[in-house]
Structure formats: C-alpha cells, structure tokens
Amino acid sequence: MQWQNLQCCTHGVCPCLTPDTLPYSIRVLFESSVRNCDGFLVKEADAMNILDWKTKQSHVEVPFCPARVVLQDFTGIPAMVDFAAMREAVRNAGGDPVKVNPACPTDLTVDHSLQIDFSKCAIQNAPNPGGGEQKPLARLSPLKPPLRKPPPCRGQSGGQSGCRGSCGAGEAGRSSGAFSAQIENTPILCPFHLRPVPEPETVLKNQEMEFGRNRERLQFFKWSSKVFENISIIPPETGMAHQVNLEYLSRVVFDVKDLLHPDSVVGTDSHTTMVNGLGILGWGVGGIEAEAVMLGMPLSLPLPHVVGCELTGTANPLATSIDIVLSVTKHLRQADVAGKFVEFFGSGVSQLSVADRTTIANMCPEYGAILSFFPVDNVTLKHLKHAGFDKAKLEVTEAYLKTVKLFRSDESSSREPEYSQVVQVSLDSIIPYVSGPKRSQDRVAVNNMKSDFQACLNEKSGVKGFQVAAEKQNDTVPVQYEGNEYKLSHGCVVIAAVISCTNNCNPSVMLAAGLLAKKAVEAGLAVKPYIRTSLSPGSGMVTHYLSSSGVLPYLSKLGFEVVGYGCSTCVGNTAPLPEAIRNAIKQGEIIACGVLSGTKNFEGRLCDCVRANYLASPPLVVAYAIAGTVRIDFDSEPLGTGFNGKSIYLRDIWPTRQELHTVEEECVISSMFRELKEKMEKGNKRWNLLEAPESTLFPWDLKSTYIRCPSFFDKLVTAAPAAVENAHVLLFLGDSVTTDHISPAGSIARSSAAAKYLSSKGLTPREFNSYGARRGNDAVMTRGTFANIKLLNKFIGKPAPKTVHFPSGQTLDVFEAAELYQKEGIPVIILAGKKYGLGSSRDWAAKGPFLLGVKAVLAESYEKVHRSQLIGIGIAPLQFRPGENPTTLGLTGREQFSIMFPPDLSPRMTLDVKTSTGKVFSVIALFENSMEITLYKNGGSLNFVARRFL
C-alpha cells in the first residue's frame, strides 16, 4: 500500500491546515470533528469552534467521536446486556434485531478485577468448590547461594540433580509443592537451565476460582463475541483492560478502507489514560457514556484548557519512573489542572521512554486532569518498531502524522504550541520518593521516611497523623507465627504488593524489583513469613520478561509470587492477614503498614487493620518487605543480616542503571510483543472449550442471578416524557452524595434487599459475590441502589439504607419503598444538596434510580459526569437557583411535587415546581445543549438509538 494513495480527510476543512500553535491534543479533537461532521450530531460550527480554541476554550461544548471503545469486565457486562436487551426490544417492535450492533469498534477485556482467594503465604479462608481437604501452601525455605555455573539437570551428563530452580530437574524443584499445571500464556523459565517450569499453584487456583465464580458471565461474553459485529472479546487470563489496551489494541493510526485517521479511545476504567503515553488521545468515561459511543453518538465535552508541562534535564540515576510520576503529580496538582488536558513538551520529554510516559499518563486521574498527552515522536516510533509494527506500517504512520501535524519534533527550529498555561518540571531535581501514609499527594523523600513516620505518630489524627502517645510509640507486641516468635511495632510492614496498574507497563521498574530480589536472595536476605506479599502483573507480557530475565523465581522466593492478572491489593482484594497478626495489631493498637506499587493508598483501603499505606516503586516495595518496617534509614541502617552474619544495606543490592539497561535490552524485545499478541488471539484452553449459544437473541435464563434482561426498553414506543405530577420524595439527601452511596460496588450485605432476593433464589451468603460482579442482573442492582450503609437520609436521621414510604408511614429499605410507590402509580423524586453524584463514574448510579421510578433529581449542584449520565438514562437533573436550597425554601420533603416540562424545552430553562402545600419555586433544567434535550425527550440514549434501529 502506498501512502500517496491514502486519504487523510473527507471534508472541505482539512486537518492538514491545522495551525502550528494549536496544542496536539486539540488537533486530534479537530480532526475528529472534520471527519465525523454530519450536520446533526457534529456540525461545521463545532469544527470551527475547535479551530478557534485559543478564544473558545472552556466557553463552548464540542462533540468528540473516539475511534474506539475499551470496556473492562464490570462495565462490559451491563453494556452488552443492554445490547442484548435492545435486540429483544427491536424484535418485539417489529424491527430486525441483527441490525443492533456497536457502531464504534469496541474491545471488551474479560480480565480486569481479580479477587485474591489464594496467596503465597497460605491458602486460607478461601472457597473450596471442589470439596475435600484444603491445605495451606507453606512458604518455601530460603535458597542457598546459586552455583557459579548451572549444574546439569537430572538425566543429563552425570545424572546430577543440583538445580536450585523449579524446573523439576532437581529435588528442590520437585518437592516444593508450589507449582502444578503447565503455564499457558507465557512460559516461566528456570533461571539456571532456562527450561520451562510449571505455573505457580496460586495462579491456577485463583484462575480456577475466578472461572468457576463467573462462568455464567463468561458464557454471556462468549455469546456476545459470536453474534455481535464490531466487537472483540479479549478472553480471560490475558490481562487487564488498560494493560491490554496499551500492549495489544493500540493502533496509533487507524487505516479503514484506505482512510487514515488518528487512534483515540474512551474506556470504562480510569487507567485508560495510560495510552496517552503512546500519543493516543484517550480517557475514562462511565458506562452510559461508553454505551452511547458504542451506539455511534459523540461525547460532549467543554472545549478544554490545555496545560503545557515543560520537562527539562535528565532524571537522577536512582530515580525510577514512580519518582518521576510522583514529582510530576505534585507539580500538576499544585498547578490546579483538574478538568483540563495536560500536554508534555520540552527537551526532557525525549529523555523519557514510552514506558515512562505511559506511567506518567496513567497517574493523571490522581492529579485531576482529564488526560496527560505525549505527542508521537521518534521515541514513540522506536517503541512501535519493538512492539511489532512492520516497516510499511511505521512509514505510513510517520508520514501521516507529519502531514496532519500530529508529530512532535525535537528540532530546535520547530515551534511549540501555545497553551492555556505552562508548568515547568526539572527532571534533575527529582529524587526517590514514596507517597503516604494516607494520600497519594503526600510525598516523602525516602531518606526522610523514618523521621516522617515518627512525625505521623506524633501528629493529631488527620490526613497524615495517627496521634500515638509518646510513651507508646516504641511498644512492641510479641506474636507466635508458624512456630516462631516475632515482634510487631509501629511501622511494621504486613502487606507488600507489587501490583498491576501503574508499573507493569514500564519494564525498568519491574526488572529493578526482580534484580533487587535476586541480589537479596543471593546475599541471604529473606522476608518474614507473616507479611502478605504478592505480585499481580497486568498482563502475561510482564510475567514473560520477568521470567525470561531470570528474576521471577527470586521474587517468588521472597514471597512475591504471581497471584493472577488484575486489580487486586489496591482495590482491597488482598487475602486476609493471618489471624494471629490481626489480633496482635488490634491488641497493641499498632500502626501497621502496607507498601504497594499502585495508585491508591487511602486509610483502611488495603485492610481494615492496616492504617498506614505507602505507594512506592516496585524495588522499594521489595526493599521495605525485606526490612519488615518503614522506620528505617536506608543510608545508615541495614536491611538485614545475610550469610555469615554480614549486614546488608540497600546500596549493596540496588541494581545500577547499566544493569537494568542491559537486562531490558536482552529481555524486552520485539519478539516478545509478537508472541504475546499471537497468544492473546488464540485464547486459552478454558475459554476455547467454554460452550455458548449462537442464536441472534440471547436465550435468557429466568433462573439466572447474574444475567437478566433489563426493563430499560419496556416503553420503547413512548414519545416525549410526561409531566411529573404529585411525586413523593424517595430520599432527602445532603451534600457530597457519591456514586458509591447511590450504587455500591462492593460486597452484598446480608440484611440488604439484594441479599433477600439472592437468598430467595437459593443462594447462600458465601455465593452472593459482589454488586460489581452482578451488574448484569438489574434485579440485584436495583435492589442495591442506595443500599450503602453510610447513606444519610434526612428522613431517617442516621446512616442507613432506609427511607419512609409516606402513604403508609412505614420505614423500609429504599428498594421496598420504591417498589410500593411504583405499584401505587406514584412517581418519585430525590432532593439533594451540593455535589450530587460525586466520585467515580458508575452507570448503575443512574440506571438504578431510573428503575426505582425516579423521574427527577433536585439538587444544589451536580458532578458533571453524573449529571450527563442521568440525562442519558432519562432522569431530569434539576438545580435549585443560586442561594436557594430545600432549607431556604422551607421544604420538609414530605410534600408532593409537580413539575411541568414544556414542549419547547431549551438548555438551562427555568421551570416551576409546585408542592402540595401550595408553595411554588423555580429550578434550572440542567440540559447543556439541544442533543441532551433530544436524548431526554426520547427516554435516554438507549431508547433514542433503539428507535433509530426501527
């Protein structure tokens, strides 16, 4: 294919004419608006507004049509269930259900959220679906120093059996009991003979539990992959959504029937932003927005401010990508980039590898930016070559991006874009940091860690302090564990996790952890057996390069054994601490610590008895695990005692940059990317053997507690929404009601309405699973709406998922009250304060209230994404006028409310609300544009698109 024969645009306004002063990220928005201009969803005026970004930024809303959508498992299930239900509705209305397919290319990654039932330390408190006796996995005994030359395996010359690895060639490998069936996705190699070894039993057991627990959902995914066009299902045991997106799905430039256009993506995961490190514009959205894009509708966003982040200099050799990330995070958080695009430029950008860039881009939700964009440059092209792009593809990519001015040049003559503001970061000033003990923005220099933790003990309880009395700060609590006595004290490390979301895209930091582990084992250091250690890579690629570099067995020897692929420790999915350790922590009121290489470290997030949590680079996670405490000065205090009683310091085992560079060059090579891509496409044995129907319509199982046909399309043929008349208030809420208050994603409480429903289906509490896992069942999710035990309803006066059903005067579960109102034909509304819908985007936070019969929400203010989600499902977001709220208006919430919607409803129109007491007040209809009004009048985006299929 010749570049000259390809097109770069289809409309009169050509992206090739983009001004040089326009930020690169805005150029991508401009290209999309030109290519998708249809005069209805995307208008010519929208393209001109983007072109005039300098004066129009933040003043206008513009549409954006991403090139593709990425779904993870929890949000993928409700999205695909909605498509299956839409097919059913179209068929029932006389249409052709085969026409119902995603309009935008969509990739759904089945692996994302991983529940750790088994860990290296022990297999305890875990379900045992197979029956029989469960025995804990004992921690392997420390390795002896490896021989200078690899001894031959049994059966080779001399018949020796001296292998210290786990390839099964030596007795040590056969007797450990920690390995079983052959790994499928990526081989783990014995470091002494480079022979494939079996997969750790923990991986197999966790994968077996996940497959058994979620079999019904997996069968539905398999059916979806067979019958829907324009969707690709990435099978289980492959990797997490954002990691697979980076390694496997990214195109950089799309080539569709000889029409070239930039790759761009929205995903239902906050870490979607990782792809911006590859020069691919992308960010995380809620499930309803993702479904709208899948249905061919554009996203609407305010034309954003773009903050230019100028990087200069070269980073300290000891500073890892995490140190750079946290430093950049601090600067950008102080610069107030919330709700803005960030774009990187300057001489320092070329000093960062693509892995470094993706690590920085991945953290942008932590400093509030929508995305952090690194335009494609020569560093990117070199990475793409290693990632498997052939010469022709690279030539087309480079030529196209340069032609449409989306390629960043290092030449001094090239003109930098103009930005809304510029933040300067000197890489020379960056030193190793950790972050904590409660918030990711609280950075602590590693050389100040000991004194800072001491200060935290002294400080009053708050964002950093624990307020421990001076006389108790050096208390120790003896504890017996596995036949030995240990002493726990403030600062003791009990959780150490090298986990999936931030670091695995960067080989250098993961290899640094592995090389440090190798040197530690060779020096005779070990990790205390009670520390919950785990290694949860984001994909098989990470396992592959840790294995092929020979460091994986050393990580395993220290307890960092691969437990599976997916979000685990930093979302609270860690295995329980040993009972003796938990009791000792509680008995001595010990400030125990967790150290993890993730992005979230809120107090109690990892475990309810672990109050101090630090984010650190992978090698530092391993170092703190070996030390067993965060109260250590690495410069003057040893990590421990090695062979022959020698004190071993961190500097003795810290890998040099030259060592890292050598191993990275030898192990992270293009063949690895190609091999893993092939293996992802082939799937795995469990997935390939899984049976699923192939019918056009999904055969709903009425007994299923995971997959149900939702009722969103029951009124597909209705016209504009009717007036809300004599509505009761279902809930009277205060300020900062989060999406987690509205639709919790965690475990299902035994006393909840959802638990009652599942119990009626014959399930035991052990089988309830979580709300997140049951997002494909509207009966569970509707009952789970407002089921958070921390929900504060003013009708009740204390935290509880309860409300008052006013016709009867009964205090009931929210679902039970809503069900009664619907049976009586009485509409309901919600009264709320400021920032309603705060927190992470969650589609069921809008779908759930809709199915409860909520017609409108009256609040003082809204979180922007949640407001749009309410409209997308058909609920009217109404806002009290400035200075007014239920209190100033004298509302008790016990009144009945009537709201009229005129036929000529317009954006931000003022509407009158009448109460049963005779009071009349005005509210603002928070529709920002005509498209939102069209969606609302059609009952939301799902119904709007379903009608188009008819």
Side-chain angles (χ1 to χ4, degrees):
M1 183 191 340
Q2 295 295 318
W3 152 250
Q4 290 81 1
N5 297 329
L6 302 176
Q7 302 178 65
C8 65
C9 55
T10 56
H11 293 272
V13 183
C14 181
C16 306
L17 304 179
T18 306
D20 293 336
T21 57
L22 209 59
Y24 289 93
S25 52
I26 299 300
R27 299 178 198 185
V28 177
L29 296 183
F30 175 60
E31 188 281 337
S32 173
S33 68
V34 172
R35 178 167 39 87
N36 293 288
C37 184
D38 62 358
F40 175 58
L41 295 176
V42 182
K43 301 176 182 178
E44 184 176 336
D46 296 319
M48 299 312 295
N49 283 335
I50 298 173
L51 199 58
D52 191 22
W53 166 83
K54 189 173 181 179
T55 59
K56 295 292 181 66
Q57 55 184 302
S58 80
H59 297 306
V60 296
E61 292 258 339
V62 295
F64 175 55
C65 299
R68 56 190 175 91
V69 177
V70 171
L71 303 173
Q72 41 98 322
D73 54 353
F74 275 8
T75 48
I77 266 286
M80 297 316 300
V81 166
D82 289 346
F83 269 88
M86 190 182 295
R87 280 197 165 194
E88 197 90 22
V90 168
R91 192 276 308 269
N92 293 340
D96 183 1
V98 176
K99 294 180 179 179
V100 178
N101 293 290
C104 181
T106 301
D107 300 291
L108 193 157
T109 304
V110 176
D111 274 341
H112 184 74
S113 180
L114 172 69
Q115 174 68 43
I116 299 179
D117 295 295
F118 306 101
S119 72
K120 172 74 176 187
C121 263
I123 298 177
Q124 64 176 45
N125 301 329
N128 185 15
E133 180 184 0
Q134 288 189 181
K135 296 181 179 180
L137 286 174
R139 187 184 294 276
L140 300 180
S141 58
L143 282 170
K144 296 178 181 179
L147 300 179
R148 291 288 182 184
K149 295 182 179 180
C153 292
R154 184 188 311 193
Q156 292 181 318
S157 175
Q160 299 181 32
S161 57
C163 177
R164 302 296 199 274
S166 303
C167 67
E171 290 302 316
R174 292 186 179 277
S175 62
S176 69
F179 303 97
S180 57
Q182 186 72 25
I183 193 167
E184 289 179 9
N185 279 341
T186 54
I188 298 176
L189 305 179
C190 169
F192 303 100
H193 298 98
L194 299 181
R195 287 180 48 181
V197 302
E199 185 169 19
E201 186 178 346
T202 49
V203 175
L204 293 175
K205 285 184 173 291
N206 280 314
Q207 289 176 351
E208 182 180 346
M209 285 301 305
E210 285 287 296
F211 209 88
R213 179 188 290 123
N214 298 307
R215 187 178 186 84
E216 215 175 311
R217 292 196 302 147
L218 294 176
Q219 287 179 319
F220 177 77
F221 282 140
K222 190 86 177 269
W223 171 80
S224 299
S225 70
K226 292 181 177 181
V227 302
F228 286 111
E229 298 176 1
N230 229 11
I231 187 163
S232 173
I233 306 291
I234 309 300
E237 301 173 24
T238 299
M240 303 162 62
H242 43 276
Q243 197 66 31
V244 172
N245 183 26
L246 180 71
E247 297 168 9
Y248 177 61
L249 304 176
S250 295
R251 281 83 153 174
V252 183
V253 171
F254 261 80
D255 179 0
V256 182
K257 297 180 180 179
D258 287 349
L259 174 66
L260 302 180
H261 62 83
D263 189 0
S264 58
V265 62
V266 291
T268 55
D269 181 75
S270 61
H271 299 293
T272 304
T273 53
M274 184 184 285
V275 298
N276 288 279
L278 267 180
I280 299 171
L281 197 73
W283 66 91
V285 297
I288 291 177
E289 293 96 329
E291 286 187 52
V293 175
M294 291 170 67
L295 292 165
M297 300 176 63
L299 290 174
S300 179
L301 72 157
L303 191 57
H305 287 280
V306 182
V307 177
C309 185
E310 184 178 14
L311 301 182
T312 59
T314 305
N316 185 301
L318 293 180
T320 67
S321 293
I322 290 301
D323 301 313
I324 297 172
V325 165
L326 294 178
S327 180
V328 171
T329 296
K330 179 182 178 181
H331 282 84
L332 293 177
R333 190 183 291 276
Q334 291 174 344
D336 185 23
V337 297
K340 303 174 184 177
F341 284 11
V342 173
E343 188 168 295
F344 291 85
F345 72 103
S347 59
V349 174
S350 297
Q351 306 297 318
L352 302 180
S353 68
V354 167
D356 294 328
R357 300 175 187 191
T358 54
T359 307
I360 293 172
N362 184 43
M363 284 289 282
C364 81
E366 307 303 322
Y367 45 82
I370 297 174
L371 55 87
S372 292
F373 191 69
F374 287 84
V376 174
D377 60 7
N378 288 322
V379 175
T380 315
L381 294 180
K382 290 178 181 178
H383 170 83
L384 296 177
K385 181 178 180 180
H386 288 299
F389 277 43
D390 59 36
K391 184 178 180 181
K393 170 70 173 174
L394 281 173
E395 289 177 350
V396 168
T397 298
E398 182 177 3
Y400 168 76
L401 292 174
K402 287 182 175 178
T403 300
V404 296
K405 301 180 181 180
L406 287 173
F407 189 88
R408 191 188 75 86
S409 173
D410 291 326
E411 297 177 3
S412 58
S413 59
S414 62
R415 184 177 179 183
E416 297 289 3
E418 295 179 1
Y419 295 104
S420 308
Q421 68 184 94
V422 173
V423 177
Q424 293 182 324
V425 179
S426 173
L427 299 181
D428 296 305
S429 65
I430 296 174
I431 59 175
Y433 281 90
V434 297
S435 183
K438 300 179 183 181
R439 305 186 305 175
S440 60
Q441 64 263 41
D442 295 325
R443 298 196 309 152
V444 183
V446 171
N447 55 7
N448 293 332
M449 181 63 162
K450 185 176 182 178
S451 59
D452 188 83
F453 186 81
Q454 183 65 42
C456 291
L457 295 180
N458 291 325
E459 283 187 29
K460 291 183 179 181
S461 295
V463 295
K464 284 200 71 171
F466 296 105
Q467 199 169 354
V468 177
E471 64 272 14
K472 294 186 177 182
Q473 291 180 7
N474 294 315
D475 286 357
T476 60
V477 179
V479 59
Q480 289 287 330
Y481 186 73
E482 293 187 352
N484 295 309
E485 182 176 284
Y486 301 92
K487 292 184 178 180
L488 301 185
S489 60
H490 297 299
C492 63
V493 175
V494 293
I495 294 176
V498 177
I499 58 176
S500 55
C501 60
T502 303
N503 309 297
N504 43 52
C505 64
N506 193 322
S508 65
V509 289
M510 296 294 281
L511 287 172
L515 289 175
L516 187 143
K518 180 177 184 291
K519 290 187 173 186
V521 170
E522 291 172 345
L525 297 178
V527 174
K528 295 179 177 63
Y530 59 78
I531 298 177
R532 273 286 181 261
T533 50
S534 61
L535 170 61
S536 180
S539 76
M541 188 196 82
V542 184
T543 307
H544 185 107
Y545 66 68
L546 290 177
S547 169
S548 59
S549 62
V551 300
L552 194 58
Y554 295 101
L555 284 164
S556 177
K557 191 64 59 174
L558 294 180
F560 293 94
E561 184 174 279
V562 176
V563 294
Y565 303 100
C567 287
S568 51
T569 302
C570 78
V571 295
N573 282 352
T574 190
L577 292 178
E579 194 68 25
I581 303 301
R582 289 177 62 91
N583 292 339
I585 292 172
K586 292 180 179 179
Q587 171 193 334
E589 297 182 345
I590 296 296
I591 308 299
C593 298
V595 188
L596 63 151
S597 59
T599 60
K600 297 177 176 66
N601 62 331
F602 308 125
E603 184 176 7
R605 186 181 180 101
L606 308 190
C607 178
D608 58 359
C609 64
V610 179
R611 297 175 58 189
N613 298 299
Y614 288 91
L615 306 180
S617 65
L620 283 177
V621 171
V622 177
Y624 279 113
I626 294 170
T629 180
V630 299
R631 298 174 81 176
I632 181 173
D633 182 346
F634 286 134
D635 290 333
S636 60
E637 299 176 63
L639 291 174
T641 303
F643 297 120
N644 303 321
K646 180 182 178 182
S647 292
I648 307 297
Y649 292 82
L650 180 59
R651 58 180 173 269
D652 297 328
I653 62 173
W654 189 270
T656 66
R657 292 185 69 84
Q658 183 57 45
E659 287 175 309
L660 285 173
H661 178 75
T662 301
V663 174
E664 189 173 343
E665 285 295 317
E666 292 177 355
C667 302
V668 186
I669 54 178
S670 57
S671 62
M672 178 175 60
F673 282 88
R674 289 197 299 268
E675 182 180 352
L676 288 177
K677 287 179 181 180
E678 291 173 0
K679 290 180 178 178
M680 282 191 280
E681 291 168 353
K682 291 178 181 177
N684 60 72
K685 186 176 181 180
R686 291 189 185 93
W687 175 259
N688 293 340
L689 294 178
L690 183 67
E691 295 183 355
E694 299 184 13
S695 54
T696 300
L697 301 177
F698 185 70
W700 307 99
D701 181 358
L702 299 180
K703 297 179 181 179
S704 173
T705 57
Y706 277 101
I707 308 293
R708 260 179 46 118
C709 184
S711 56
F712 300 128
F713 305 101
D714 287 355
K715 299 178 181 179
L716 188 59
V717 295
T718 59
V724 178
E725 297 182 354
N726 299 318
H728 271 296
V729 176
L730 180 64
L731 291 160
F732 191 177
L733 306 172
D735 297 338
S736 301
V737 174
T738 69
T739 51
D740 199 58
H741 287 120
I742 304 169
S743 181
S747 59
I748 298 173
R750 297 190 180 192
S751 60
S752 65
K756 296 173 186 175
Y757 167 80
L758 293 173
S759 295
S760 72
K761 298 294 183 179
L763 274 64
T764 65
R766 191 187 188 93
E767 299 169 308
F768 286 173
N769 213 324
S770 65
Y771 284 113
R774 295 190 180 274
R775 286 185 181 181
N777 186 323
D778 63 309
V780 172
M781 298 306 296
T782 306
R783 287 165 172 79
T785 304
F786 297 111
N788 192 310
I789 60 174
K790 298 295 185 180
L791 181 74
L792 183 57
N793 180 7
K794 294 183 180 181
F795 294 148
I796 304 301
K798 61 180 181 180
K802 302 283 185 180
T803 195
V804 176
H805 176 252
F806 288 108
S808 67
Q810 299 179 80
T811 298
L812 303 168
D813 285 337
V814 175
F815 170 79
E816 294 171 344
E819 190 176 39
L820 276 180
Y821 280 127
Q822 292 195 66
K823 288 180 179 178
E824 296 161 349
I826 300 174
V828 293
I829 63 172
I830 291 171
L831 293 181
K834 300 181 182 71
K835 299 180 180 178
Y836 181 77
L838 198 66
S840 59
S841 176
R842 194 165 292 170
D843 59 336
W844 272 103
K847 290 178 177 178
F850 175 81
L851 293 180
L852 289 179
V854 174
K855 303 301 181 184
V857 178
L858 278 66
E860 290 184 68
S861 64
Y862 293 82
E863 196 280 330
K864 176 177 171 57
V865 173
H866 186 66
R867 179 201 64 83
S868 66
Q869 288 187 330
L870 291 175
I871 296 170
I873 200 63
I875 296 175
L878 307 178
Q879 181 173 290
F880 293 104
R881 293 188 301 184
E884 294 185 349
N885 56 48
T887 302
T888 62
L889 293 171
L891 302 176
T892 66
R894 298 175 181 273
E895 307 91 343
Q896 288 183 269
F897 295 75
S898 296
I899 309 165
M900 297 296 294
F901 293 92
D904 59 344
L905 184 64
S906 61
R908 303 188 71 86
M909 176 179 278
T910 298
L911 306 177
D912 287 336
V913 180
K914 299 179 181 179
T915 70
S916 55
T917 61
K919 185 182 295 293
V920 179
F921 61 95
S922 297
V923 294
I924 302 168
L926 279 191
F927 302 102
E928 300 294 347
N929 51 57
S930 58
M931 188 67 228
E932 289 188 344
I933 292 174
T934 299
L935 293 179
Y936 175 69
K937 286 184 174 181
N938 282 272
S941 57
L942 294 175
N943 280 279
F944 173 72
V945 174
R947 290 193 183 96
R948 295 179 69 180
F949 283 122
L950 295 176

